[in-house]
């Protein structure tokens, strides 16, 4: 277990002794609020903040497999990458994600800059994406405009496994078209990614929460239903009832789940346009034979969604399920931020959860290509020449290992053996003087001395022979 290391900042020379509450009280002096300690005086904890973590090299092969699958899918489906700042004006999230949502009310990392701006760490990426879309006049581009983004997001939530205060998301978003075929294609793309990652038992849950107009009717009906049984709701949901009643459907408390079981459903309140949209989406999903179910309780935690909402879930053998990502349409968001009315749809994948799921279901991580050649050197002159030779071989596409820091040939060869390379190139003092190198075939045990000009070809020849022997 990691040890908690604590460093104490040096006491400043001017610091007074006995300045604690007790001694102040003894002297009967009015207690003034102590000034916050300067950064130098604070304890320094050598550990990450709660809910934040390092993704160490050993874990990177999983992440690399995810990154590769995302890059591949975004290319296949014609998405272009965009990178956004992690900090935006706080208003952006208050206006889009919405007050009354957990993300804004409880989980936003909110602070003032030294310049006096009220800013927030992004709790999700869609709002920033829409800001960028408007700011850079992307509306003039040919539609649909497809954007892909990947990066950390921040939510001041209660940490537990799979829930971090900093986690990674990949977002795929399409702007400019409202045809339900785009909704189906979005879900198809999400499925493609999780399939490429080798994840099994994936299910999509879909629902429609309609246009904001049809939703108003629905919210009224839901509020009427819940108002009558208000005292059976948890404290949080009693507040939600006033501010954002649809969020009650998301509550994980048993009593709220029970109570909302027979609550009115958004699908019964859809206007003609939303109903038609949803019907077409389901037809496309049937045609694609994607594993989906309709979850009438699915509303998603953000205010900006319209019509289609969906989540990507995986289930284990005990029926427990995990949310790997989710998304939906947000046809009014760009307009509500002051841009031209632009329909849009997108989804976010939670990469930390995907990696956990890969581990849980024993999916193989990405395997780095292993070096097949080792470069060993002996003596000062050989050492000098070896750096240049390394770069020569690497430029010619040979993945090469070395152990330049070790002096003895024996210990270098031990490393070569441990790595299981097929070729070892050795430059000793004589070879350094002659501009030659010994090329040793580690499989057959034969070796020859070649000039530097012939070195690349000689190494490649052995590698090819070994390859041919394996086929
Ligand atoms: P959301 O925007 O809340 O729908 O989140 C999208 C996806 O991000 C979820 O489906 C989760 O996979 C993942 N996610 C959400 N919150 C967290 C968190 N606190 N820690 C890790 N992953 C998260």
């Amino acid at each position: 277990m990691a040890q908690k290391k604590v460093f104490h900042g040096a006491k400043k020379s001017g610091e007074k002794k006995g300045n604690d509450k007790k001694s102040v009280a003894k002297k009967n002096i009015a207690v003034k609020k102590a000034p916050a300690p300067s950064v130098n005086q604070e304890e320094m904890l050598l550990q990450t903040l709660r809910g934040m973590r390092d993704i160490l090299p050993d874990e990177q092969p999983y992440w690399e497999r995810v990154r590769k699958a995302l890059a591949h899918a975004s290319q296949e489906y014609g998405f272009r990458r965009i990178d956004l700042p992690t900090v935006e004006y706080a208003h952006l999230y208050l206006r889009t994600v919405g007050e009354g949502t957990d993300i804004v009310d409880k989980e936003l990392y909110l602070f003032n800059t030294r310049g006096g701006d009220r800013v927030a760490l992004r709790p999700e990426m869609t709002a920033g994406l829409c800001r960028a879309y408007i700011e850079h006049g992307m509306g003039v581009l040919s539609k649909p405009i497809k954007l892909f983004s990947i990066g950390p997001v921040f939510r001041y939530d209660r940490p537990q496994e799979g829930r971090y205060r900093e986690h990674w998301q990949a977002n795929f978003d399409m702007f400019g078209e409202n045809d339900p075929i785009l909704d189906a294609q979005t879900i198809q793309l999400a499925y493609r990614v999780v399939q490429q990652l080798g994840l099994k038992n994936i299910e999509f849950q879909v629902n429609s929460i309609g246009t904001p107009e049809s939703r108003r009717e629905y919210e009224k009906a839901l509020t009427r239903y819940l108002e009558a049984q208000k005292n059976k709701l948890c404290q949080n949901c009693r507040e939600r009832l006033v501010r954002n009643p649809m969020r009650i459907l998301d509550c994980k408390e048993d009593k709220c789940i029970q109570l909302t079981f027979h609550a009115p459903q958004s699908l019964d309140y859809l206007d003609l346009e939303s109903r038609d949209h949803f019907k077409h989406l389901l037809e496309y999903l049937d045609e694609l034979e994607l594993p989906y179910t309709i979850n009438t309780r699915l509303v998603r935690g953000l205010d900006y969604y319209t019509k289609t909402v969906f989540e990507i879930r995986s289930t284990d053998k005990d029926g427990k399920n995990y949310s790997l990502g989710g998304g939906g349409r947000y046809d009014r968001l760009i307009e509500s931020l002051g841009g031209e009315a632009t329909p849009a749809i997108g989804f976010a994948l939670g990469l930390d959860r995907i990696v956990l799921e890969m581990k849980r279901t024993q999916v193989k991580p990405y395997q780095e290509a292993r070096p097949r050649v080792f470069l060993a050197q002996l003596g000062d002159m050989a050492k000098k020449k070896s750096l240049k030779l390394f770069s020569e071989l690497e430029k010619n596409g040979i993945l090469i290992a070395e152990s330049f820091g070790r002096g003895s040939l024996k210990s270098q060869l031990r490393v070569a053996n441990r790595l299981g390379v097929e070729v070892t190139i050795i430059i000793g003092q004589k070879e350094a003087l002659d501009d030659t190198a010994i090329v040793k075939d580690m499989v057959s045990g034969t070796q020859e001395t070649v000039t530097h000009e012939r070195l690349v070809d000689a190494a490649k020849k052995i590698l090819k022979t070994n390859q041919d022997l394996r086929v």
Side-chain angles (χ1 to χ4, degrees):
M1 220 174 112
Q3 246 189 333
K4 189 166 149 180
K5 290 191 184 145
V6 180
F7 284 69
H8 294 278
K11 243 187 189 171
K12 280 200 183 147
S13 53
E15 245 176 282
K16 290 200 179 81
K17 277 186 191 166
N19 194 17
D20 55 32
K21 276 189 190 150
K22 239 188 202 166
S23 60
V24 171
K26 230 190 254 170
K27 289 178 200 156
N28 205 14
I29 299 169
V31 180
K32 270 196 195 157
K33 200 174 168 214
S38 76
V39 172
N40 274 343
Q41 291 168 314
E42 278 173 8
E43 306 186 318
M44 184 163 98
L45 298 177
L46 280 188
Q47 60 185 51
T48 53
L49 292 172
R50 197 161 119 79
M52 302 207 173
R53 69 209 179 104
D54 303 309
I55 301 172
L56 297 172
D58 277 354
E59 217 187 328
Q60 289 295 339
Y62 287 98
W63 287 80
E64 189 56 16
R65 183 158 176 191
V66 175
R67 284 190 285 261
K68 285 211 171 342
L70 291 168
H72 189 74
S74 64
Q75 225 171 25
E76 271 181 343
Y77 281 74
F79 281 72
R80 297 177 69 205
R81 173 140 181 174
I82 180 168
D83 290 318
L84 304 161
T86 40
V87 187
E88 300 265 3
Y89 286 111
H91 271 304
L92 184 66
Y93 303 114
L94 306 184
R95 288 260 304 270
T96 56
V97 176
E99 291 184 64
T101 60
D102 284 355
I103 290 183
V104 160
D105 287 1
K106 298 183 190 153
E107 299 168 6
L108 205 57
Y109 275 89
L110 206 59
F111 57 98
N112 291 328
T113 63
R114 286 173 191 266
D117 290 323
R118 188 100 176 115
V119 300
L121 298 187
R122 63 178 178 202
E124 54 95 57
M125 293 204 212
T126 310
L129 206 54
C130 291
R131 193 262 314 133
Y133 181 95
I134 300 170
E135 187 175 340
H136 301 288
M138 290 191 213
V140 297
L141 303 174
S142 76
K143 315 279 188 315
I145 297 148
K146 300 179 178 182
L147 298 174
F148 162 64
S149 196
I150 180 168
V153 301
F154 302 84
R155 295 181 187 175
Y156 199 81
D157 204 352
R158 196 147 48 87
Q160 52 182 265
E161 199 191 31
R163 185 177 300 151
Y164 310 107
R165 289 183 173 169
E166 178 182 31
H167 72 271
W168 284 71
Q169 289 194 352
N171 271 55
F172 290 86
D173 294 84
M174 292 199 257
F175 296 88
E177 282 178 6
N178 56 24
D179 194 304
I181 194 162
L182 269 83
D183 305 31
Q185 194 186 25
T186 305
I187 293 176
Q188 183 189 33
L189 163 60
Y191 192 51
R192 179 85 184 108
V193 175
V194 289
Q195 248 190 341
Q196 268 199 345
L197 288 173
L199 295 176
K200 305 252 163 40
N201 303 321
I202 297 297
E203 179 191 271
F204 284 87
Q205 297 190 348
V206 295
N207 193 19
S208 174
I209 53 172
T211 56
E213 294 75 36
S214 68
R215 196 150 72 214
R216 268 196 282 281
E217 284 311 305
Y218 171 58
E219 276 182 332
K220 272 191 215 158
L222 185 65
T223 310
R224 259 198 313 275
Y225 174 87
L226 293 170
E227 191 71 51
Q229 311 172 69
K230 189 173 158 181
N231 48 8
K232 292 189 199 151
L233 289 170
C234 73
Q235 186 53 40
N236 259 344
C237 284
R238 273 181 230 168
E239 284 162 29
R240 286 178 182 141
L241 192 55
V242 184
R243 307 183 65 188
N244 202 338
M246 272 168 67
R247 304 281 306 122
I248 297 174
L249 298 175
D250 260 353
C251 184
K252 306 284 178 289
E253 295 261 346
D254 259 356
K255 54 183 176 183
C256 300
I257 294 175
Q258 297 290 332
L259 201 67
T260 50
F261 211 73
H262 299 292
Q265 300 180 352
S266 60
L267 289 183
D268 294 328
Y269 290 80
L270 297 184
D271 52 24
L272 210 60
E273 180 194 330
S274 308
R275 200 174 316 151
D276 199 46
H277 191 98
F278 194 52
K279 180 174 156 280
H280 278 102
L281 167 62
L282 299 186
E283 283 169 10
Y284 288 125
L285 294 181
D286 286 337
E287 187 67 27
L288 283 170
E289 296 180 25
L290 286 180
Y292 79 88
T293 56
I294 299 173
N295 176 359
T296 54
R297 302 167 65 91
L298 185 68
V299 289
R300 310 253 317 128
L302 314 154
D303 267 3
Y304 52 64
Y305 286 116
T306 49
K307 298 183 183 164
T308 309
V309 285
F310 67 92
E311 275 197 6
I312 307 141
R313 294 186 162 269
S314 71
T315 41
D316 64 16
K317 58 179 180 0
D318 303 322
K320 218 169 136 198
N321 68 60
Y322 309 87
S323 171
L324 303 182
R329 261 199 180 271
Y330 47 96
D331 289 344
R332 308 285 176 95
L333 186 52
I334 298 255
E335 194 181 5
S336 78
L337 285 173
E340 242 176 68
T342 310
I345 180 158
F347 69 96
L349 289 172
L351 305 189
D352 306 69
R353 298 261 179 98
I354 286 186
V355 167
L356 276 176
E357 189 59 11
M358 286 167 74
K359 288 181 179 170
R360 191 183 68 80
T361 57
Q362 293 174 357
V363 164
K364 281 208 177 80
Y366 175 74
Q367 267 199 316
E368 296 282 349
R370 283 198 3 236
R372 296 169 69 194
V373 177
F374 189 90
L375 178 59
Q377 36 71 37
L378 189 66
D380 281 349
M381 200 171 171
K383 197 167 189 166
K384 273 187 202 136
K385 298 214 161 176
S386 59
L387 266 184
K388 202 164 161 205
L389 274 185
F390 179 93
S391 122
E392 203 61 38
L393 290 154
E394 169 269 312
K395 273 193 271 181
N396 278 282
I398 296 177
L399 197 56
I400 184 162
E402 42 65 36
S403 186
F404 288 152
R406 287 177 201 237
S408 96
L409 189 60
K410 204 168 154 195
S411 71
Q412 290 180 66
L413 293 181
R414 247 201 319 266
V415 177
N417 272 331
R418 201 179 60 230
L419 292 172
V421 294
E422 294 161 50
V423 179
T424 299
I425 297 170
I426 304 161
I427 319 166
Q429 288 179 24
K430 180 175 178 307
E431 289 77 24
L433 279 172
D434 296 352
D435 273 342
T436 57
I438 299 167
V439 180
K440 181 167 182 185
D441 182 335
M442 304 293 275
V443 180
S444 66
T446 57
Q447 63 179 57
E448 60 170 334
T449 301
V450 300
T451 59
H452 284 185
E453 291 79 55
R454 281 201 49 233
L455 185 58
V456 169
D457 285 343
K460 280 190 172 171
K461 196 171 150 204
I462 301 174
L463 294 178
K464 184 167 182 320
T465 313
N466 288 344
Q467 187 85 31
D468 291 347
L469 285 175
R470 271 202 295 267
V471 178

